[in-house]
Amino acid sequence: MTLEEEKIFIDKLKETILPVAIYLNENEIKRIIENVENSNENLPAGFGKMLYEQIIILKYNRLSEK
C-alpha cells in the first residue's frame, strides 16, 4: 500500500467503522472481523489481523483525546 492508499484506508475506517467500534470491546470487534473473514474467502491472508490492529489503534487514540 502506498502512503496515499494508507491515508485513504484510515480515513474510511474513521468514517465508517470507528463510530461503531468505539462502543464495542476488543472481543466483540475481533468476533465481527472473524465472521467477516469466514464469510468472504476473497480477503487476503492477514487482512483481518491488520484491520483489527488499525481499529484498536484508532479507537484508543480517539478515546485518549477526550
Side-chain angles (χ1 to χ4, degrees), residues 24-41:
L24 300 174
N25 66 41
E26 292 181 23
N27 287 331
E28 291 169 324
I29 295 168
K30 195 175 287 190
R31 200 169 336 123
I32 291 169
I33 292 171
E34 287 172 358
N35 287 338
V36 170
E37 280 186 307
N38 291 337
S39 65
N40 188 344
E41 67 256 0

Side-chain angles (χ1 to χ4, degrees), residues 3-17:
L3 291 176
E4 184 177 339
E5 289 170 332
E6 282 183 39
K7 181 174 179 354
I8 292 168
F9 179 72
I10 297 297
D11 288 344
K12 283 295 177 192
L13 286 177
K14 287 178 181 178
E15 250 176 65
T16 58
I17 296 174

Side-chain angles (χ1 to χ4, degrees), residues 37-53:
E37 280 186 307
N38 291 337
S39 65
N40 188 344
E41 67 256 0
N42 295 329
L43 291 175
F47 180 79
K49 182 179 179 188
M50 182 271 302
L51 179 61
Y52 174 76
E53 290 171 354

